[in-house]
Amino acid sequence: MRSFQSMLNYFPEEVLEHVFDFLTSHRDRNAVSLVCKSWYTVERFSREKVFIGNCYAISPERLISRFPRVRSLTLKGKPHFADFNLVPHDWGGYVQPWIESMAKGGVNLEELRLKRMLVSDESLELLANFFPNFKSLVLVSCEGFTTDGLAAIASNCRFLRELDLQEIEVEDRRGQWLSCFPDSCTSLVSLNFACLKGEVNLASLERLVARCRNLRSLRVNHAVPIDALQRILMQAPQLVDLGTGSFGQDPDSDSYNKLETAMQQCTSITSLSGFLEVVTARCLPAVYPICRHLTSLNLSYAAGIYSDELVKLIRHCNKLERLLVLDTIGDKGLGVVASTCKELQELRVFPSDIHGGNAAVTEEGLVAISAGCPKLNSILYFCQQMTNAALIMVAKNCPNFIRFRLATLNPTIPDAVTMQPLDEGFGAIVKSCKGLKRLSVSGLLTDQLFLYIGIYAEQLEMLSIAFAGDSDKGMFYVLNGCKKLKKLEIRDSPFGDVALLEDMGKYETMRSLWMSSCEVTLGACKTLAQKMPRLNVEIINDSDQMEASDDDKQRVEKMYLYRTLVGPRKDAPDFVWTL
Amino acid sequence: MAIVGLGLETELRLGLPGGGGGVSCLVEKNEKKRVFSDISGDQNNEPKTVNKSQVVGWPPVCSYRRKNSFKGDEGSKMYMKVSMDGAPFLRKIDLSTHKNYLDLVLALDNLFGCFGIGEALKNSENSDYVLIYEDKDGDWMLAGDVPWEMFSESCKRLRIKKRVDAKGIGLHAKDLLKGISNGE
C-alpha cells in the first residue's frame, strides 16, 4: 500500500496534465482539483476553459490568479427572470471589469461567451485591441452595445472565427460594421447577426462570405433579401447552418429558380432558421430539397408562415432532432410532427399571440408528440390548456426527459376537463423521468406537487415556479428534497419567512434563489444575510415600494440571493440593497 | 411515507390535500394564496380566467422574442398617441424604443419642447404639467407609479395635462421624478 502511495507521488505532472486534457466538462475538472494539493495545482495550471455561472460569485482577479492559462471564459450575469422584465436594465452584470482584469493580467483570451451581461462598446473595443489571439465571441441576451462595438471587433480581431449574437437588441449606428472586416479576414467559421435590426452592406457581406472558405454557419438578418441570399449561397455551398434572413420578397420566377439552384447546391446544411418576414409562402418549396437532411429547424420567428405551409415544410423533415415553432402549428400540425420526425429530441412551441387568441396548442398536441417521438428529452411548451391525464400519458411515453418546461397562457388554469389542480400530472412527470434536470411548472398547483418534486426529482438542478403552492410547506418540500438543486426561481407564490429560513445552509449548495411577489419579509432577509456571510442577499427596490424605514415586517417585492466568495458587490445601483 | 419537518406529518395520496374536493376546496386555497386575480385587481376570490395582460412577464417569453415574433398589436412597435393640453395637434411615440421613464420624458421634451414641458417636468414643484396615460382597461393613470415594464405593457395612449386642470386629485410630478431618479 505504501509503495503504491509513493508511486502516485512520483507520477510526473506532465502525465497528470495529459490525462486531465481528456476532461472536458468543468464539473469533472472541479472534482479532480479536490483530490489533493498536487492534483489541484496541476489542474489549475492546465485549465483553459472556465465556466462561471454567476459573475458575482467570484472576482476577475481570483479567476486569473487561480487559472492563469485561461483561454476561454463563459460568464452569466442577470438572474433568469430578467428575461421576463422582472429585473431593471441596470441591475448589473457588467463584463467590463472582467475584460480589464484579463487585459492587465496578460491573459491570452481567445473565447468569450456571455449570457445576460451588460456589454458596452468600450468593452468590445478593449476586447478587440488587447487580445491578439481573440477568436470567438458569443453573446446571448446581452445589451448595452451598438454596432460601433461590433465594428471594433470586425476591424481588429485578425483571427476571428466566431461572432454569434443571439436575441439581442443592438443599437444601430449605421456605421456599416460588417464592412469593417478587412480583406485579409478569411478565418470566419461562424457568423450570426440574425437579431440585428439595421442594414448591412450586401456587397461587403457577399465578398466576406466568398473569401471565408471555412465558413460553416451563417445567420443573416432581415435586411438580407432573397436575391442576396441566393448569391451568398452560391459562394458558400459548404454551409452547415443557415439563417435565411427575411426570405420575404415575392420573387419573380427567375429569382426563384436561381434560389432553388443555390439551395440544391447546399448539400451540407443540417440546421436551418430565419424566415423572419415571409409574406407569401411561394418561396418555401425552394427549401424542400435541404429539408430531408435537417437535424435542426428553428421557425420560431417565422410569424409569417401559416399553419398549412408550416406542416407542408415539416413533412419533408424526417431527420429532425430539434424543432422550434410557433403555436400556429396547432395540435394537428404537432400530429404531423409526431408522425414525421421520429428522431426528435427537443421541441419548443412558443406563443404567437401574447393574449392567447385563436391559435395556441393544447394537451392534445403534447400527447401526440410524446406518443410519436420516443427520443424526446427536452420540451418547452406554451399552451392554452392542459390536463392531468395528458401529462400522465406523456410521462408514460417519454421517461427520458432532461428538461421539461410547460407554460399555460393563463398561469393558474386548472385541469381543463376535471377542473382539478395539475399536481398529479406534473407529479407523474417527476416520478417517471428519473433524469430530469430542469423543470418549469404552470397552472393551478398546490403544495402536493412540491411534495412530489421533493420526493422524486432527485436529479433536479433548476426549478421555476410561478403562481403556485399554498403555503411554506411547498417551498420546504423542494429545498429539503431536491439534493442537487442549483437554481430555484419563484414568483407570485405564497412562500414566506418560515420556508426561507428553515435550512439556511442549503443556499450555499445552490447557485442562487430568486423570489418575487412572495410572502418573504425584510426582517427574514436580514436574518438570513446576517447568519450566512457567504451569501449575498439582495433586495431589488425598483418602484420605490419599500420605505427606507426599517420596518422589518414589510414584504419584500424582489429578492435575489446567491453564494459568493467575494462578499457584497461594489457595483450595485441605488435600488439594489445588499443586506 | 411520512415527512417530518416543520412539525408536519403528511402522506402521499391522490387527490387534494385537506380532503374533500370541488369548488369549496379551491376557494379555500384561494383565500390563503396570493391569487393571480388579486394581482389583476379583481376583488372577487372566485377562481376564473383573469386578464392576463396585466401581469408583468407572463407568459414567460423573453423580451426580444416578445418584440419580434408576435403577430397582432404586440408587434415590434408600440406607437401611441400623445396629446398635450394647448397643443394644436397630437404626436405619436414608439414606447418600445424607450427603456425607462427618463428616456420617455426626454423624448416628450423633444416632441413638445417648444411648449416647455421638459423644463416643467424637471422642476417638480413648479411643474405646470402632469403626465397621464390610458391603460388597457380604459382608466387614466398617473405615469410613474408602476415599474417601467408594467407601464409600457399596459399603456395605450399618453396625455400631458395642465396641472391646474388636475388639481384636487393629489397628483405630484415628484412621484414621476422619484421613478426617474431611481434609474428606472
Side-chain angles (χ1 to χ4, degrees), chain B:
Chain B
M1 179 178 174
I3 307 246
V4 182
L6 296 178
L8 312 163
E9 263 74 37
T10 59
E11 51 178 39
L12 259 193
R13 55 194 160 89
L14 298 177
L16 299 168
V23 177
S24 60
C25 204
L26 290 173
V27 170
E28 189 201 309
K29 255 171 274 310
N30 284 336
E31 279 162 7
K32 285 188 208 153
K33 79 178 184 179
R34 190 154 179 266
V35 288
F36 188 47
S37 53
D38 287 346
I39 301 152
S40 61
D42 191 310
Q43 296 310 310
N44 190 336
N45 267 341
E46 290 289 334
K48 61 177 189 183
T49 51
V50 289
N51 188 351
K52 348 175 228 281
S53 59
Q54 298 208 329
V55 176
V56 176
W58 196 270
V61 171
C62 78
S63 47
Y64 177 83
R65 185 175 284 284
R66 226 171 241 269
K67 289 181 194 159
N68 290 289
S69 74
F70 288 131
K71 304 200 267 204
D73 58 30
E74 199 65 35
S76 56
K77 305 245 171 246
M78 290 159 73
Y79 277 110
M80 43 203 66
K81 293 183 185 172
V82 188
S83 61
M84 177 161 167
D85 287 357
F89 43 76
L90 280 64
R91 301 298 301 269
K92 268 207 167 168
I93 196 168
D94 179 3
L95 269 197
S96 67
T97 61
H98 300 290
K99 283 199 196 149
N100 51 43
Y101 286 112
L102 177 61
D103 232 10
L104 174 66
V105 164
L106 292 176
L108 290 176
D109 188 20
N110 274 336
L111 277 187
F112 291 103
C114 54
F115 298 98
I117 187 193
E119 209 35 61
L121 283 171
K122 274 177 215 146
N123 295 316
S124 61
E125 299 307 319
N126 302 328
S127 159
D128 286 334
Y129 295 97
V130 284
L131 180 65
I132 60 176
Y133 68 99
E134 184 183 8
D135 74 359
K136 283 197 152 82
D137 290 334
D139 298 318
W140 284 93
M141 320 282 291
L142 178 68
D145 285 338
V146 300
W148 170 260
E149 291 79 11
M150 194 184 283
F151 161 75
S152 63
E153 276 178 27
S154 59
C155 173
K156 288 197 95 79
R157 55 190 297 175
L158 288 155
R159 189 160 163 199
I160 303 166
K161 262 188 102 55
K162 280 207 169 72
R163 175 171 283 282
V164 289
D165 294 338
K167 253 199 168 65
I169 310 175
L171 301 171
H172 299 284
K174 75 172 179 351
D175 292 328
L176 170 60
L177 290 177
K178 251 206 292 185
I180 291 172
S181 64
N182 278 347
E184 260 196 82

Side-chain angles (χ1 to χ4, degrees), chain A residues 252-271:
Chain A
D252 54 46
S253 53
D254 187 44
S255 298
Y256 178 80
N257 290 335
K258 284 193 185 149
L259 179 67
E260 247 195 334
T261 312
M263 286 285 178
Q264 275 160 5
Q265 301 233 337
C266 296
T267 52
S268 304
I269 293 183
T270 55
S271 169

Side-chain angles (χ1 to χ4, degrees), chain A residues 308-472:
Chain A
D308 46 355
E309 289 301 325
L310 202 50
V311 167
K312 264 198 228 162
L313 187 71
I314 287 174
R315 280 195 202 280
H316 289 84
C317 305
N318 54 1
K319 292 229 187 90
L320 270 191
E321 295 171 13
R322 187 167 183 262
L323 175 63
L324 283 68
V325 285
L326 292 171
D327 60 9
T328 43
I329 194 173
D331 289 331
K332 284 222 172 63
L334 288 176
V336 173
V337 173
S339 56
T340 311
C341 309
K342 295 303 185 188
E343 304 297 315
L344 197 68
Q345 295 175 25
E346 178 176 359
L347 174 68
R348 298 193 190 197
V349 181
F350 292 97
S352 57
D353 183 344
I354 233 182
H355 305 301
N358 45 357
V361 292
T362 72
E363 73 276 11
E364 284 179 26
L366 185 61
V367 171
I369 292 281
S370 72
C373 307
K375 298 189 181 177
L376 198 64
N377 61 39
S378 172
I379 191 155
L380 170 61
Y381 198 74
F382 286 83
C383 54
Q384 190 87 284
Q385 62 182 49
M386 187 48 56
T387 65
N388 284 310
L391 286 172
I392 290 169
M393 178 76 51
V394 169
K396 194 160 124 271
N397 292 336
C398 293
N400 297 320
F401 277 117
I402 299 175
R403 283 178 291 274
F404 191 91
R405 293 195 279 163
L406 200 91
T408 51
L409 294 174
N410 176 340
T412 53
I413 196 171
D415 181 314
V417 168
T418 66
M419 302 311 280
Q420 297 297 302
L422 289 171
D423 300 340
E424 296 309 312
F426 281 106
I429 295 282
V430 295
K431 196 168 170 193
S432 160
C433 303
K434 309 232 185 290
L436 193 69
K437 289 196 181 165
R438 183 170 180 185
L439 177 66
S440 299
V441 295
S442 160
L444 183 65
L445 298 167
T446 74
D447 287 345
Q448 181 73 3
L449 169 63
F450 300 114
L451 179 59
Y452 289 148
I453 292 176
I455 294 172
Y456 294 110
E458 289 174 7
Q459 302 299 320
L460 196 67
E461 295 179 5
M462 182 170 176
L463 178 62
S464 307
I465 301 171
F467 303 97
D470 310 306
S471 75
D472 283 337

Side-chain angles (χ1 to χ4, degrees), chain A residues 27 76 79-81 83-84 115-116 402-405 436-441 453 457 459-465 478 482 484-489 510-512:
Chain A
R27 290 190 190 191
K76 295 190 183 181
H80 175 234
F81 275 0
D83 284 353
F84 316 131
K115 190 166 188 181
R116 277 182 227 110
I402 299 175
R403 283 178 291 274
F404 191 91
R405 293 195 279 163
L436 193 69
K437 289 196 181 165
R438 183 170 180 185
L439 177 66
S440 299
V441 295
I453 292 176
Q459 302 299 320
L460 196 67
E461 295 179 5
M462 182 170 176
L463 178 62
S464 307
I465 301 171
V478 169
C482 299
K484 297 214 175 162
L485 195 64
K486 291 269 165 293
K487 290 193 281 187
L488 179 59
E489 46 186 26
M510 292 167 55
R511 187 186 297 173
S512 64

